[in-house]
Amino acid sequence: MTLSNGATPPTAGTSKCLPTVTPGECFWQIARDELSDHRSTDQLPEHSDIVIIGAGYAGVSTAYHLMKEGAATKTIAILEARGACSGATGRNGGHCRPDFYGHIPTYMDRAGDRAGAEIAEFEIANLRALKKVIEQENIDCDFTLARSVDVWCNEESATKAKAVYDRVVAAGFEYMEDAVFYTGDQVEGICGVKGAKGCASFTAGTMFPFKFISHLIRGLLAAGVNLQTHTPVTSITPDPQGGFIVETLRGKMHAGNVVHASNAYVSGLLPEYSKNIIPCKGICCRITVPEGVTPPLLNNSYINRAEDNTLSYFVPRADGSIIVGGAAAVFRPFKHQWYDNVDDSVLIDSAKDYYDGYMQRTYRGWEDTGAKVDKIWTGVMGYSYDSNPHIGHVPEKKGQFIIAGFNGHGMPVVWLAAKELAKMVANDVPFEDTSMPRLFQTSQFRIDRAQAGKEEDGDILGTGKLAATRP
């Protein structure tokens, strides 16, 4: 492989802590962008005041907010192992969907009602902040703001979901005024899903993630940020003279501060997170109908749980196509295919055919549309032991920061989390003085709990056995 600038990319090897050199093709990135191979300078800079590892949603958003938080006088470099936004951000479903009630009771049980509300409120504020910046900067990223519909096709699961919803309503959280839950004979007619037993809806957003990040990157480059793609970082060591030596497969550079924003791969440079943030593969696809066919209009996004409780997220696009992914219940038993696995060049074999005929068997009126899978791909997400991201100062490593472990739920979280982290990096603001939910703070306690725990006691495998301890 040769880069568009004529250079040859370094070989990242087979370590789970570095991404595969060539990911499988996905819909969002069919048209190759010049940013995929961009290097602001032919050689690495000798020094940068702030080095950000990862040019995805977390890394680019952090750089953007650093420029807004008084760091414009500092030099900033972004080092990316592959092309810009080639990881999970550029391969996800583009669903900016806050969690109003789904997992909130879990956080309430672990740390109290207020802790649960903090997360929901933060994610709702994140959606509003995204809408604001997209409008202010006129970002072309297919952003929509509409309703998202939760659907349960299993009677028992629908009953349990309603109980969860009622519990959050009873807690008096004001934001729940935007949510509504339906049961009874009219559910299928309300949501359009065959066999639906219960459904709920609230405000959410959708977007074209790669377009959004690409716009931000172009602005950063114009402001002087140095982007180095195809530059895998292999080690970070303290410099006796201060700061850090950042070693890459293309050479070394010096950094004043380091921000770890590589999500699923973060334990490669921070081994203490090896059991806290695990790389896990997911599956996503694009469904289209034949030319000349006008399918029934679906202008809501969905989280649909089939009768066997297999969950899929669903994002309609203005071009008439559908982005749908999930199906974790299908491939969960085949652990080696997805758990602790970073090979996004290979589909998850046990689930690669799941979405064939999905629209016909799931949504009313789609039976004769000829809808079929046009593109299917996989991506690598960072799943945390306790389902919360790790954000803040890396314990015992002054000058290093982390923003990672978003559990496939980064779209509703990262933008504001990066804004608050930027305050910590640029202005030495303590985590407690940011607006981030307390459960997001990385800590030695959380690190130790995961290191001492068993896989099945954490949240990643879906067993839900994590003890209700307070972080």
Side-chain angles (χ1 to χ4, degrees):
M1 175 185 175
T2 302
L3 306 183
S4 59
N5 58 15
T8 299
T11 301
T14 58
S15 168
K16 75 168 188 178
C17 302
L18 290 174
T20 55
V21 175
T22 307
E25 186 180 77
C26 76
F27 162 70
W28 304 115
Q29 299 178 58
I30 292 174
R32 191 167 181 82
D33 192 286
E34 67 272 14
L35 293 176
S36 296
D37 302 333
H38 183 88
R39 289 175 180 169
S40 299
T41 53
D42 290 339
Q43 304 298 322
L44 296 180
E46 291 185 5
H47 166 82
S48 187
D49 295 327
I50 302 169
V51 168
I52 299 171
I53 302 170
Y57 192 9
V60 171
S61 297
T62 300
Y64 176 93
H65 290 298
L66 280 168
M67 301 296 286
K68 302 290 186 180
E69 286 295 331
T73 58
K74 298 180 181 293
T75 53
I76 300 173
I78 304 175
L79 307 182
E80 167 57 49
R82 298 193 303 205
C85 199
S86 63
T89 305
R91 307 177 71 80
N92 69 31
H95 207 183
C96 308
R97 181 182 187 273
D99 181 8
F100 271 50
Y101 53 82
H103 292 99
I104 300 305
T106 298
Y107 308 133
M108 293 164 64
D109 289 341
R110 291 178 182 173
D113 286 5
R114 190 63 236 151
E118 285 174 358
I119 292 175
E121 291 165 358
F122 187 81
E123 294 185 9
I124 293 167
N126 186 88
L127 176 60
R128 293 169 179 166
L130 279 173
K131 176 179 181 292
K132 183 176 181 179
V133 71
I134 289 168
E135 291 176 345
Q136 287 180 338
E137 299 201 8
N138 194 28
I139 302 176
D140 175 16
C141 62
D142 301 351
F143 180 78
T144 70
L145 189 67
R147 303 296 286 183
S148 186
V149 182
D150 264 330
V151 182
W152 292 264
C153 295
N154 179 285
E155 190 75 58
E156 181 181 357
S157 296
T159 300
K160 290 179 179 178
K162 181 60 163 59
V164 169
Y165 174 91
D166 289 343
R167 177 183 173 188
V168 178
V169 170
F173 301 154
E174 184 177 352
Y175 67 83
M176 287 298 291
E177 293 178 3
D178 184 49
V180 61
F181 203 108
Y182 302 97
T183 58
D185 297 337
Q186 302 300 313
V187 171
E188 187 175 318
I190 292 170
C191 67
V193 175
K194 299 176 183 178
K197 306 301 182 185
C199 72
S201 78
F202 51 85
T203 302
T206 67
M207 70 159 70
F208 197 131
F210 186 81
K211 285 185 176 181
F212 176 70
I213 299 302
S214 295
H215 179 99
L216 297 182
I217 291 175
R218 288 184 172 86
L220 292 172
L221 295 178
V225 172
N226 191 308
L227 171 64
Q228 296 287 327
T229 63
H230 303 285
T231 306
V233 179
T234 56
S235 70
I236 296 173
T237 55
D239 185 338
Q241 304 302 315
F244 304 93
I245 302 299
V246 179
E247 185 164 357
T248 81
L249 293 183
R250 294 179 51 227
K252 299 178 181 180
M253 66 175 294
H254 185 270
N257 292 292
V258 176
V259 177
H260 296 266
S262 58
N263 201 24
Y265 308 97
V266 74
S267 66
L269 299 173
L270 297 172
E272 58 266 46
Y273 287 91
S274 62
K275 292 187 177 181
N276 280 267
I277 300 175
I278 305 293
C280 296
K281 289 171 62 173
I283 201 163
C284 189
C285 68
R286 178 179 184 245
I287 294 176
T288 60
V289 299
E291 187 175 351
V293 174
T294 302
L297 177 65
L298 291 170
N299 54 9
N300 298 311
S301 67
Y302 284 81
I303 294 290
N304 181 42
R305 300 159 186 84
E307 203 281 331
D308 64 358
N309 287 319
T310 299
L311 183 150
S312 297
Y313 62 83
F314 171 109
V315 175
R317 290 184 40 76
D319 63 6
S321 67
I322 302 293
I323 302 295
V324 61
V330 175
F331 59 77
R332 187 176 296 279
F334 306 94
K335 188 177 173 183
H336 67 283
Q337 295 181 9
W338 64 276
Y339 182 85
D340 210 10
N341 186 328
V342 299
D343 190 356
D344 57 6
S345 68
V346 177
L347 292 175
I348 301 175
D349 189 66
S350 54
K352 64 183 181 181
D353 300 324
Y354 179 78
Y355 289 109
D356 290 345
Y358 179 77
M359 296 304 296
Q360 290 89 334
R361 69 176 182 264
T362 305
Y363 288 90
R364 288 172 29 166
W366 281 74
E367 294 83 358
D368 300 318
T369 60
K372 64 178 182 179
V373 173
D374 174 64
K375 293 288 182 184
I376 185 166
W377 61 92
T378 186
V380 182
M381 300 164 283
Y383 273 77
S384 74
Y385 184 77
D386 58 11
S387 291
N388 294 130
H390 283 264
I391 305 173
H393 293 277
V394 177
E396 309 301 326
K397 292 186 176 177
K398 184 175 176 59
Q400 295 192 52
F401 302 82
I402 185 173
I403 175 168
F406 293 99
N407 305 283
H409 192 63
M411 294 303 293
V413 176
V414 170
W415 182 250
L416 281 189
K419 180 179 180 180
E420 297 304 299
L421 181 69
K423 296 176 183 178
M424 299 179 67
V425 177
N427 302 315
D428 202 27
V429 173
F431 185 96
E432 292 77 11
D433 289 346
T434 71
S435 66
M436 281 186 281
R438 71 191 79 168
L439 293 180
F440 287 7
Q441 183 176 17
T442 193
S443 67
Q444 195 63 48
F445 173 85
R446 292 179 65 194
I447 291 172
D448 292 344
R449 180 174 58 185
Q451 293 288 1
K454 300 177 181 179
E455 284 183 353
E456 59 269 24
D457 290 335
D459 290 344
I460 301 173
L461 296 178
T463 52
K465 296 180 180 178
L466 186 64
T469 52
R470 292 177 182 269

